[in-house]
Amino acid sequence: MAAVIIDGRAVAKAYKEGIAARTQEMIARGIVPHLAVVLVGENPASQVYVRNKENACIKAGIRSTVIRLAQDCTQETLEETVSALNKDASVHGILVQLPLPKHLDEARVLRLIDPDKDVDGFHAMNSGRLMNGQPGFVPCTPLGVMELLKAYDISIAGKHAVVIGRSNIVGKPMAMLLLAANATVTICHSRTQNLAELTRQADILVAAVGRAGFVTADMVKPGATVIDVGINRVDGQIVGDVDYAAVSEKAGYITPVPGGVGQMTIALLLANTLDAAERCGC
Ligand code: GUN
């Protein structure tokens, strides 16, 4: 039987409406949520992502500032920019768009962002908080996946969740969130042996590999929930990590690409920005 298609567009739309209402309520209390995005260089994909973030902020009533730095900007200039945003009491959320040009030290820049303004959730302080079950900022994409599971009433507790990918941005925080929701979690990666044997055990399978069509139907248990985090460009088309045509005939639930997880990432960035403003109370 064909899988239920998880409609990320619809869930994100409803979620953003909630964000807009919450923003208005905060503004009425004298708090104007403010996200600052730092974009270095001319990477075309980054420019699109940043424009989408800016538009989503404006639509929700959140103040947005984009600071554009030249491709050849120095580490010092970038760090001065982040430090100034840390000190600026009107800024609640700071996001440095990745990837940075090769000559810049990404890890140093991420470490410099005030953890209480780190709406990307990439600072080690926030990964540590997630690991320890303490409140903090969590990366937006895995948070968005959890919201999709919730929107479709997909139960997690006691289920076997298999995450393919171990990045700091998706795989690891995704595994932590599923674990916190009482799933039994397996993390697979490029060195995993007998990968298909493990993925076939998954009630919830999350693919965050970065390779088009990586998850094939033989890797999926009938009725499983398949979440595709991949965004790959193939012949000018955006496709995920999952062989959608074949897997959607076998899974119970599936996210399409586009129109699935990607839609949720920005929605959760807005939510993190409101949380930062709320915690700051200024
Ligand atoms: N580049 C691609 N995705 C992201 C993201 O979620 N945050 C940042 N900072 N950069 C990105």
Side-chain angles (χ1 to χ4, degrees), residues 51-223:
R51 199 177 323 123
N52 290 344
K53 286 169 188 172
E54 195 177 16
N55 288 340
C57 279
I58 291 166
K59 207 166 164 201
I62 295 172
R63 187 175 161 201
S64 159
T65 300
V66 179
I67 296 159
R68 291 183 168 80
L69 299 176
Q71 177 78 24
D72 62 356
C73 101
T74 61
Q75 182 80 20
E76 194 185 2
T77 302
L78 177 55
E79 291 189 10
E80 278 168 8
T81 303
V82 170
S83 296
L85 293 171
N86 281 342
K87 286 196 203 99
D88 184 341
S90 82
V91 171
H92 303 107
I94 302 170
L95 181 153
V96 176
Q97 186 65 28
L98 304 178
L100 290 172
K102 290 271 178 291
H103 68 282
L104 296 169
D105 184 340
E106 201 166 280
R108 254 186 79 134
V109 174
L110 295 182
R111 265 203 308 275
L112 189 64
I113 297 173
D114 178 347
D116 293 330
K117 295 189 178 188
D118 171 37
V119 285
D120 254 334
F122 293 169
H123 192 288
M125 176 73 84
N126 282 315
S127 347
R129 286 168 172 159
L130 175 61
M131 182 118 177
N132 289 352
Q134 293 166 1
F137 290 109
V138 177
C140 305
T141 300
L143 265 188
V145 171
M146 297 304 282
E147 287 297 327
L148 286 179
L149 296 174
K150 191 159 104 188
Y152 280 78
D153 261 335
I154 294 164
S155 64
I156 302 171
K159 297 290 161 61
H160 188 183
V162 176
V163 179
I164 319 176
R166 55 175 160 177
S167 71
N168 290 337
I169 295 179
V170 182
K172 281 190 246 176
M174 185 77 255
M176 285 299 141
L177 288 172
L178 289 163
L179 184 63
N182 297 314
T184 300
V185 182
T186 301
I187 305 177
C188 300
H189 48 80
S190 54
R191 305 290 288 273
T192 296
Q193 295 183 357
N194 305 321
L195 176 69
E197 224 170 80
L198 292 164
T199 60
R200 273 197 291 271
Q201 294 172 28
D203 302 301
I204 299 169
L205 179 60
V206 181
V209 190
R211 277 170 63 184
F214 183 84
V215 174
T216 48
D218 63 301
M219 295 167 72
V220 175
K221 174 158 97 174

